[in-house]
Amino acid sequence: MILVPFPEMQPLAEDLAPAIGAELRTLDWHRFPDGESLISVPGSLDGADVALLATLRDPDCLALPLRFAAATAREMGARRVGLIAPYLGYMRQDRRFDAGQAVSAPLFAQFLGESFDWLVTVDPHLHRIRRLEDVFPMPAIRAVSAPLLASWLATNLPDAVLLGPDGESQQWVAEVARLAGRPYEVLRKVRSGDRRVDVSVPESADLRKGTPVILDDIASSGSTMARAVERLLASGTDAPVCLAIHAVFADGAQDVIMSAGAARIVTTDTIPHPSNAIGTAAMLA
């Protein structure tokens, strides 16, 4: 296999390539002043299995370059072309909430399926879509980060008490808590806008007996985690650690969470960010 990372994924690629026995090559992505892209894939790919590595935090920016890279790899002789997308965008718009809205999740899945023979991703946001194969036309594998998160907690915060900021976080919080052998609670969330949310008051007495850890799959605007931090501090807990699988972080989101009183933000390296502390290369391999 030949592993070809998009530029920001080079550090993860350097760990991943030896773990899967792949040859690491460089992709060149030139952006013209008018916003168009020129993609150059590396050399001859005759008969090779090629894996492109790109995190889809900004899928609108990456969609065409990904398509160009996959098509060009085939033109250069690649036998198969797969996509390793540690973070998979467009999974949250999984239904039509108002008339005329695009249901983006299956549309984007079909778009990727036109370019790639297989997909590997880490903990996609599956809510009403239960399985990747329900929307992707090619083999699609979900790598599960819960063992990594539980191991990190056991080493760094053995007294952790986990808190899910909303009902959708239940699937991740419950499994990490089980693997780590720690208690957990899930709050209720009411969203009134992209950055306006409220959450219920925590009830568990265990939250005052250890280090509270707010766990969610995605930290985007930061509003949900920030509100959970405020609720915890108001109830008398220690400053919580915020643990997220994917560091999406819209502009200012990290500051919103830290300003609310969080002790620390910890994320995996599915999206490059200064808060990355948990590597995913071995799990992806």
Side-chain angles (χ1 to χ4, degrees):
M1 179 173 286
I2 295 174
L3 179 63
V4 184
F6 272 63
E8 68 170 346
M9 301 307 290
Q10 186 70 27
L12 178 54
E14 290 174 359
D15 291 334
L16 181 58
I20 60 175
E23 178 186 347
L24 184 59
R25 295 194 190 174
T26 302
L27 174 142
D28 184 71
W29 181 5
H30 178 76
R31 303 189 198 192
F32 294 103
D34 63 2
E36 293 184 1
S37 293
L38 175 62
I39 296 293
S40 300
V41 302
S44 173
L45 301 172
D46 285 343
D49 285 320
V50 174
L52 296 177
L53 173 61
T55 200
L56 293 174
R57 179 197 179 278
D58 191 357
D60 289 8
C61 176
L62 280 164
L64 284 179
L66 271 174
R67 195 170 190 118
F68 295 160
T72 306
R74 295 186 198 281
E75 292 171 7
M76 296 298 102
R79 185 174 69 93
R80 293 200 311 161
V81 182
L83 173 62
I84 304 170
Y87 173 69
L88 184 60
Y90 275 123
M91 291 303 293
R92 287 183 283 179
Q93 185 75 12
D94 56 7
R95 58 172 283 192
R96 203 181 319 277
F97 298 95
D98 288 304
Q101 285 186 345
V103 187
S104 310
L107 292 174
F108 192 59
Q110 292 296 316
F111 174 86
L112 292 177
E114 292 169 1
S115 295
F116 295 100
D117 296 302
W118 52 265
L119 167 75
V120 174
T121 188
V122 178
D123 284 327
H125 189 88
L126 300 178
H127 183 36
R128 282 164 288 266
I129 296 171
R130 295 299 179 184
R131 304 176 306 161
L132 288 172
E133 53 264 42
D134 291 342
V135 291
F136 280 90
M138 72 291 207
I141 296 174
R142 170 195 177 193
V144 179
S145 67
L148 290 179
L149 303 182
S151 177
W152 186 89
L153 288 171
T155 300
N156 296 276
L157 293 172
D159 66 338
V161 180
L162 276 70
L163 191 82
D166 56 33
E168 291 184 12
S169 67
Q170 168 90 28
Q171 56 185 304
W172 294 282
V173 176
E175 181 63 6
V176 173
R178 183 187 70 81
L179 292 171
R182 301 302 302 162
Y184 78 94
E185 179 182 349
V186 175
L187 300 181
R188 298 181 305 279
K189 177 177 73 174
V190 177
R191 180 179 291 277
S192 55
D194 288 346
R195 295 176 182 265
R196 295 170 56 194
V197 298
D198 197 10
V199 298
S200 61
V201 177
E203 300 175 354
S204 173
D206 289 329
L207 289 167
R208 294 163 188 81
K209 299 176 184 176
T211 301
V213 176
I214 302 169
L215 170 61
D216 209 350
D217 65 323
I218 297 170
S220 183
S221 70
S223 300
T224 300
M225 277 196 167
R227 194 62 179 138
V229 168
E230 292 168 354
R231 288 295 197 192
L232 284 169
L233 293 175
S235 70
T237 72
D238 292 336
V241 172
C242 291
L243 178 58
I245 301 170
H246 304 295
V248 174
F249 290 132
D251 289 344
Q254 187 175 11
D255 291 339
V256 167
I257 295 170
M258 295 304 296
S259 296
R264 181 184 179 188
I265 300 173
V266 175
T267 61
T268 76
D269 63 354
T270 60
I271 299 172
H273 190 267
S275 63
N276 292 166
I278 303 172
T280 58
M283 174 186 64
L284 285 168

